[in-house]
Amino acid sequence: MEKYYLTTPLYYVNSKPHIGHAYTEIAADTLARYHRIAGREVLFLTGTDEHGQKVAKAAADAGLAPGEFTDKISGTFKDLWRALDISYDDFIRTTEPRHIAAVRAVWQKLEKAGEVYKAVYSGWYCTPCETFWTEGQVLPEGGRTLCPDCKRPIERLEEENYFFKISGHRQWLIDEIRRAENFRILPDTRRNEVLGFLEHNALQDLCISRPKSRMPWGIPSPLSDSHVTYVWFDALINYISAVGFGADEKKLARWWPADAHLIGKDILRHHAVYWTILLRALGLKLPRLIFAHGWWVQGGEKMSKSRGNVIDPVEIAKTYGVDAFRYFLLRETAFGQDGVFSEEAFILRYNTDLANDLGNLLHRTLTMCEKYFDGSVPAGVSSRCAGELKEGVDLLESKLSRSLEKLAFSDALAEIWALVGQANKFIESSAPWTLAREKKTGELKVVIVSLAEAIKAVAQALWPFMPSTAEGIWRQLGIAEPVAKASFKKNLWGYFEKGGQVAKGAPLFPRIETKREGLR
Ligand code: MSP
């Protein structure tokens, strides 16, 4: 069976998750579900990044020991993923023994290959970004020195550390990125950004440790009792530690390279430059794809806990439903671009796309099944007299796979909604109520069967995005879930040749009339 290994970043456990984190996770879940029903064996990895100065500080502020604190916050991520129907296969915590062992194995392998050395690090460090900055990169402002990325004050470090030799890796990486065969960076804007960085900057060797005396909350380096691993160096290794690096060669060979690393655009360089170079130094293949998505912004700024402009995904999902939330995040903006989350925009999409277009299509169709055919999809309509919706149904799966190959979630949803729109128009143009009045039962049957086939196809295509909505539709159409999933890749049309019994339920998406108090 073909495999598909996809990963999300490991989220820092300095505070509870917001919609920025939920975004990567929902996108990854959609992709994982899609590849599963397309017949692949999927490994969907997520987890939490638990070491480093930022987490240590958050634990101290909360008055807890780091381990106690990270257990608690890591648990809130797991709870949220459960609530959002995230079907991850593995959740890795960087404090787990399997990960620690892999990080230590990486240190040892690099040392043996002569790739690490000790020297004095003299430069800047941004704790919120957990990033080292050189003198030339930082922003001096009014007597303070700010991080060039997050614009917050940073501290000066002068300490003995270990370095990983990366300066000689520039040219092959540029060539690989340009070639874009086995290793792609998407969207193109991000690929160009990485190329620009590599072409205009000399690569500086990467500092990969911190002195234990200053920052004890990290994985001890096997090369020195007085150093721990720099948090980014520790965290990136998760993508191979979870698949057995240093412990299970067979597992590693099965899953590596990753098919897709989903990340936000703020952590592109760590992945596209440092991670790829580390892989090469370890003699491992590069991932097939790094996709850097955009940010959810509020008031022109990236949504983040420290800026105090976050929206709580739990609240949104509780108020409007998990699937509506999943739909909005993936439909509203193209995956590579920034998006603005507002409750007005959310309600508009909910009422228009979900309540009106999709909800009404199902409701009207099932009402006609009840009214004209005793609650059934009538039998005896050959799939050969298919009606005008068949072409849209037949093409849906290939359109979906073309869009999802590029992680164009919004386009994929637009394709599905094009069929929903076509089916709604078909009801108007075929006027089944007139056919019923004029007792044209044969024609009426074709109309109802066509609609049932189209809705079934819509639900199948929708399942990766909105699993419980799709399952609800199948239930109302009287289709068993395993049957619907199994037939995803086959010709979608023809299921109702023998008819079927429907079970109309409550509307999927009751209209929202008023905005809830308190949300932006
Ligand atoms: N721990 C590192 C990643 C290590 S991966 C080996 C980290 N963690 S994070 O919690 O700060 O961010 C995790 C992911 O959430 C990143 O991909 C980041 O881009 C994403 N988001 C955080 N805020 C976001 C928005 N406001 N909008 C969209 N995604 C953003 O970085």
Side-chain angles (χ1 to χ4, degrees):
M1 206 179 187
E2 205 186 329
K3 64 96 185 167
Y4 193 85
Y5 175 28
L6 87 157
T7 68
T8 70
L10 298 193
Y11 306 98
Y12 285 128
V13 289
N14 58 315
S15 65
K16 63 183 182 118
H18 59 70
I19 70 167
H21 306 124
Y23 186 44
T24 326
E25 203 67 18
I26 289 170
D29 183 61
T30 300
L31 210 54
R33 286 173 185 270
Y34 168 73
H35 284 286
R36 283 189 201 118
I37 53 169
R40 298 189 182 93
E41 189 188 359
V42 170
L43 174 57
F44 167 14
L45 174 71
T46 191
T48 41
D49 188 352
E50 308 196 0
H51 294 116
Q53 199 154 311
K54 170 153 88 169
V55 171
K57 183 176 177 310
D61 291 348
L64 293 174
E68 223 180 311
F69 180 74
T70 55
D71 280 352
K72 191 172 136 208
I73 307 282
S74 183
T76 66
F77 277 88
K78 277 193 172 164
D79 291 345
L80 178 63
W81 302 157
R82 208 169 301 119
L84 296 179
D85 269 342
I86 303 298
S87 62
Y88 60 76
D89 299 295
D90 194 359
F91 187 105
I92 191 161
R93 300 180 55 188
T94 54
T95 46
E96 280 175 55
R98 61 171 169 160
H99 178 70
I100 293 170
V103 170
R104 293 171 70 89
V106 167
W107 271 103
Q108 274 150 347
K109 199 160 174 182
L110 291 182
E111 196 212 11
K112 228 168 152 192
E115 298 280 358
V116 290
Y117 63 92
K118 219 190 227 178
V120 171
Y121 174 79
S122 173
W124 296 88
Y125 194 77
C126 173
T127 301
C129 300
E130 298 281 18
T131 298
F132 296 101
W133 295 111
T134 60
E135 207 61 65
Q137 291 171 316
V138 297
L139 299 177
E141 195 192 86
R144 295 183 313 166
T145 306
L146 306 183
C147 168
D149 260 6
C150 73
K151 317 278 187 293
R152 283 175 280 202
I154 52 181
E155 60 178 313
R156 174 132 196 117
L157 300 182
E158 183 90 25
E159 52 192 40
E160 186 168 64
N161 274 319
Y162 283 89
F163 287 79
F164 168 37
K165 293 183 190 164
I166 66 168
S167 38
H169 285 272
R170 196 166 144 261
Q171 197 52 50
W172 72 257
L173 185 53
I174 292 178
D175 295 343
E176 279 288 346
I177 297 173
R178 282 236 183 83
R179 202 173 312 124
E181 273 170 18
N182 304 319
F183 166 52
R184 290 183 304 150
I185 300 172
L186 286 176
D188 286 343
T189 45
R190 300 294 156 220
R191 171 175 171 264
N192 295 339
E193 182 185 314
V194 177
L195 280 175
F197 169 75
L198 288 169
E199 278 160 358
H200 298 113
N201 295 280
L203 279 181
Q204 307 235 358
D205 288 344
L206 187 69
C207 182
I208 56 169
S209 72
R210 295 298 310 277
K212 215 180 195 169
S213 55
R214 291 189 167 197
M215 218 301 292
W217 183 235
I219 297 177
S221 160
L223 312 191
S224 150
D225 285 341
S226 47
H227 287 88
V228 300
T229 313
Y230 163 49
V231 62
W232 261 105
F233 193 69
D234 152 359
L236 286 165
I237 293 170
N238 92 89
Y239 302 130
I240 51 175
S241 65
V243 290
F245 179 82
D248 185 343
E249 285 304 313
K250 233 172 113 189
K251 188 171 180 188
L252 188 68
R254 168 69 179 139
W255 293 106
W256 194 259
D259 294 273
H261 287 317
L262 268 54
I263 58 167
K265 63 181 183 179
D266 48 330
I267 54 175
L268 178 61
R269 192 180 302 167
H270 301 86
H271 285 81
V273 179
Y274 307 131
W275 175 229
T276 50
I277 292 175
L278 176 57
L279 285 168
R280 175 65 64 106
L282 294 171
L284 293 171
K285 286 189 180 152
L286 303 189
R288 292 195 207 288
L289 172 69
I290 294 177
F291 193 108
H293 64 70
W295 288 337
W296 287 94
V297 292
Q298 280 291 313
E301 295 233 54
K302 179 186 175 204
M303 197 184 287
S304 77
K305 173 75 196 303
S306 53
R307 292 191 184 90
N309 61 355
V310 295
I311 287 180
D312 182 358
V314 177
E315 258 188 84
I316 301 282
K318 252 194 212 148
T319 314
Y320 300 114
V322 171
D323 278 1
F325 178 56
R326 292 175 62 117
Y327 176 76
F328 180 82
L329 290 186
L330 295 183
R331 178 68 183 95
E332 184 69 2
T333 4
F335 195 48
Q337 279 157 26
D338 289 353
V340 179
F341 192 97
S342 81
E343 200 174 11
E344 284 79 7
F346 186 96
I347 292 176
L348 185 67
R349 278 226 174 264
Y350 179 105
N351 281 341
T352 311
D353 301 359
L354 301 179
N356 282 2
D357 295 350
L358 179 63
N360 280 347
L361 173 64
L362 178 70
H363 198 74
R364 288 165 90 189
T365 303
L366 296 185
T367 304
M368 291 191 283
C369 291
E370 285 182 337
K371 197 160 161 195
Y372 305 136
F373 297 105
D374 274 340
S376 71
V377 178
V381 175
S382 154
S383 51
R384 263 165 299 151
C385 62
E388 60 189 80
L389 293 176
K390 184 167 186 302
E391 198 188 336
V393 168
D394 285 347
L395 291 178
L396 189 59
E397 197 279 324
S398 62
K399 286 184 177 166
L400 195 68
S401 66
R402 219 172 307 130
S403 295
L404 289 184
E405 155 72 13
K406 297 178 287 186
L407 277 66
F409 299 100
S410 186
D411 289 354
L413 285 167
E415 303 283 8
I416 300 173
W417 255 259
L419 183 59
V420 169
Q422 218 189 328
N424 275 320
K425 278 203 196 100
F426 176 65
I427 298 183
E428 298 307 319
S429 63
S430 58
W433 42 90
T434 311
L435 298 176
R437 202 173 49 240
E438 293 173 356
K439 303 258 179 316
K440 293 183 175 160
T441 313
E443 283 175 53
L444 182 61
K445 279 184 179 176
V446 174
V447 171
I448 300 297
V449 169
S450 300
L451 288 168
E453 296 282 1
I455 297 172
K456 170 179 165 283
V458 162
Q460 282 176 318
L462 209 51
W463 184 75
F465 299 85
M466 305 170 79
S468 37
T469 300
E471 287 157 18
I473 295 175
W474 292 332
R475 250 192 322 275
Q476 297 201 34
L477 281 177
I479 306 171
E481 188 182 319
V483 176
K485 281 188 192 160
S487 63
F488 177 71
K489 282 287 263 191
K490 311 216 180 79
N491 185 5
L492 291 163
W493 194 274
Y495 178 86
F496 288 103
E497 226 170 26
K498 295 199 182 91
Q501 202 60 39
V502 302
K504 194 170 95 179
L508 293 175
F509 298 99
R511 274 188 76 81
I512 302 167
E513 302 302 344
T514 47
K515 186 179 149 191
R516 203 170 58 88
E517 288 301 301
L519 268 180
R520 281 153 248 259

